[in-house]
Amino acid sequence: MIKQMKRGRLIMREFKVSDWRGVHDYASVEAVCRYQPWGPNTIEDSRGFVRQVLTDREEEPRIRYAFAVTARDEQFIGAGELNIKSFNHRSAEIGYMVNPAFWRQGIGTEIAEQLLVFGFRKLKMHRIAATCDVRNTGSQKVLENIGMMREGTVPDHLLLADGWRDSFLYSILAPEWEKGRKNGR
């Protein structure tokens, strides 16, 4: 179990049962869920998400690392997640959510970068990927800001309430990420 990771303005820590309220604050907002196959959440959906995260962290081997993200004053901001796709090939995928009260403040970029630090340094991944809806320009900027390269488009990737979602696929390799960090990114 990972206690917490501090970086800049943020603390990323393992979820606790009471975090469902913080999750619900953003996951019940339609604008947050616009590009997702879930939501807007009911209270039970948000509680269920946290219960599932707590269950998944006990799995062996562990493939899901979901983190509550708070400000230094413990105000709940969002969530970040890293899922191992292959142990043999040392590949993973990241995702993040930010309460809209904190949009346009660089929070998504900080979360995503911390997930890369965790994935490459702690878990020794070789490749980390992410997807985002082709209409989600905010998420595209986050992924590009952390050095990920767009590899292409995955058509009909997820089924949303308004139809199939095309996704952009982004990724970065450990050597590319290390080089970017040395060059000041």
Side-chain angles (χ1 to χ4, degrees):
M1 192 158 126
I2 295 91
K3 291 206 179 213
Q4 67 181 14
M5 299 175 286
K6 293 180 182 179
R7 177 182 166 88
R9 304 173 283 179
L10 305 179
I11 296 172
M12 292 175 58
R13 59 167 172 74
E14 296 272 12
F15 272 92
K16 52 189 178 187
V17 173
S18 61
D19 286 332
W20 73 266
R21 289 177 185 88
V23 169
H24 193 67
D25 283 346
Y26 68 81
S28 62
V29 177
E30 190 169 327
V32 173
C33 310
R34 178 179 318 136
Y35 304 121
Q36 302 301 324
W38 51 265
N41 279 12
T42 64
I43 288 172
E44 188 49 41
D45 292 335
S46 296
R47 284 181 172 159
F49 168 79
V50 172
R51 278 193 306 268
Q52 188 61 55
V53 164
L54 296 176
T55 298
D56 290 347
R57 80 175 176 209
E58 302 303 321
E59 294 292 317
E60 283 296 330
R62 185 172 180 181
I63 61 170
R64 184 182 193 190
Y65 294 86
F67 301 101
V69 178
T70 68
R72 296 278 178 157
D73 65 2
E74 299 186 23
Q75 183 178 14
F76 201 93
I77 293 176
E81 192 163 327
L82 182 143
N83 290 282
I84 296 174
K85 296 299 180 184
S86 171
F87 288 102
N88 289 339
H89 303 293
R90 297 184 3 232
S91 64
E93 184 173 13
I94 62 168
Y96 44 85
M97 283 288 156
V98 178
N99 185 309
F102 299 94
W103 284 0
R104 301 190 200 313
Q105 297 177 33
I107 301 288
T109 299
E110 286 185 45
I111 295 169
E113 179 61 31
Q114 186 60 32
L115 291 168
L116 293 183
V117 169
F118 176 72
F120 288 131
R121 296 254 168 93
K122 177 85 174 163
L123 300 179
K124 306 297 185 203
M125 292 290 114
H126 177 70
R127 180 178 188 275
I128 298 178
T131 61
C132 71
D133 190 295
V134 296
R135 301 166 293 179
N136 190 342
T137 56
S139 199
Q140 292 169 41
K141 287 178 186 173
V142 165
L143 298 172
E144 290 164 7
N145 284 343
I146 63 170
M148 289 187 134
M149 299 295 296
R150 187 185 308 171
E151 293 184 344
T153 305
V154 183
D156 289 355
H157 182 229
L158 296 173
L159 181 58
L160 308 184
D162 65 349
W164 287 99
R165 165 187 141 173
D166 291 349
S167 296
F168 286 137
L169 173 63
Y170 285 83
S171 75
I172 189 166
L173 301 176
E176 296 167 345
W177 178 74
E178 288 291 349
K179 183 179 177 184
R181 289 181 63 83
K182 287 178 185 169
N183 292 335
R185 186 194 65 252

